[in-house]
Amino acid sequence: VDQSLWVQALSFLAADEGDHTEEIREVLRHVEESSLMPLLMVIEALQKNPRITVGDVRPYLQSQFRKLAESVESSRGKASESVETSRAKAWQDRQEIARMQQEIVSLRTQAQVFQNTKCSQCSLTLEVPAVHFFCGHSYHSYCVPSDGGCPKCSSEALSRITLKEQREAQARNTEDFFKELQGSSGEGGIQAIGEWCMFGAFDAGREERTE
């Protein structure tokens, strides 16, 4: 059966001035089961016949409103989950930054003993001249890149610093947040809020108010 025939049947029955309450209810049942028409379009079609009352189509309307309520609750749950996940990530980032800061203080205030016997790059026995880094890695002089940084840590440290700077900058730029939020809808808006929570946008505002 061509499902579009149910849509045409509803339009025909709604436009006819006769009493087609039972027929309309049956058509609406098929329309709902197959999701053939959105609620607003159905209401617009039914408005053509002044004889049709809310009571005539109450079962259909109740079912549609119940689905809308369930959809809203589901969206709220997803929004809450997204925000909580983003906050957890932001907390982990802050913990990592705090750990790095503690390491810096330790390196500045405590003596560092280098006891490595093998190169951290090629795993061969260290020979003089050797290069030792405060991160704990040691290398042959020829295993250290021209930039003089620790091969094991430099790329990782750079990515962390870049990530921190990006998130701090975005957390301060709330104007972009509202622009992105206005340009999003539905789950897109929820995702935007979640991502900006991860950047610490809302935490930054809260910290300013407490100072």
Side-chain angles (χ1 to χ4, degrees), residues 89-102:
K89 290 181 179 179
W91 181 83
Q92 291 176 355
D93 288 339
R94 288 194 291 268
Q95 290 293 104
E96 178 65 15
I97 292 172
R99 185 189 65 79
M100 294 172 64
Q101 290 174 338
Q102 290 177 355

Side-chain angles (χ1 to χ4, degrees), residues 1-159:
V1 179
D2 186 355
Q3 297 296 324
S4 64
L5 293 177
W6 294 111
V7 177
Q8 297 176 23
L10 179 63
S11 298
F12 173 79
L13 294 172
D16 190 80
E17 296 182 357
D19 184 7
H20 302 292
T21 301
E22 293 301 324
E23 291 85 349
I24 289 176
R25 287 178 178 175
E26 180 65 18
V27 171
L28 287 177
R29 184 177 67 82
H30 288 281
V31 168
E32 182 178 16
E33 288 179 353
S34 302
S35 300
L36 300 178
M37 299 173 65
L39 175 60
L40 182 58
M41 187 177 295
V42 172
I43 293 176
E44 290 177 348
L46 296 176
Q47 285 179 338
K48 297 177 182 179
N49 191 336
R51 292 176 177 269
I52 301 176
T53 65
V54 173
D56 295 334
V57 294
R58 188 182 302 277
Y60 169 78
L61 294 177
Q62 288 177 335
S63 176
Q64 289 296 305
F65 290 145
R66 183 170 58 253
K67 290 181 179 180
L68 286 174
E70 292 173 353
S71 177
V72 169
E73 289 300 320
S74 176
S75 296
R76 287 177 178 174
K78 291 180 180 179
S80 177
E81 181 179 351
S82 176
V83 170
E84 290 301 322
T85 300
S86 298
R87 285 179 176 175
K89 290 181 179 179
W91 181 83
Q92 291 176 355
D93 288 339
R94 288 194 291 268
Q95 290 293 104
E96 178 65 15
I97 292 172
R99 185 189 65 79
M100 294 172 64
Q101 290 174 338
Q102 290 177 355
E103 288 183 358
I104 292 174
V105 172
S106 176
L107 291 173
R108 289 177 176 176
T109 58
Q110 299 179 14
Q112 188 81 6
V113 179
F114 301 100
Q115 297 179 333
N116 295 334
T117 59
K118 292 186 178 181
C119 176
S120 299
Q121 182 71 8
C122 66
S123 299
L124 297 178
T125 301
L126 282 175
E127 299 175 351
V128 178
V131 180
H132 303 279
F133 290 90
F134 284 113
C135 59
H137 295 126
S138 300
Y139 304 90
H140 296 111
S141 60
Y142 51 80
C143 287
V144 178
S146 58
D147 61 7
C150 173
K152 295 285 187 181
C153 300
S154 57
S155 59
E156 181 180 356
L158 179 60
S159 63

Side-chain angles (χ1 to χ4, degrees), residues 173-188:
N173 193 355
T174 54
E175 182 178 351
D176 285 349
F177 165 71
F178 287 109
K179 286 182 179 179
E180 183 174 351
L181 188 61
Q182 290 174 355
S184 305
S185 60
E187 294 187 358

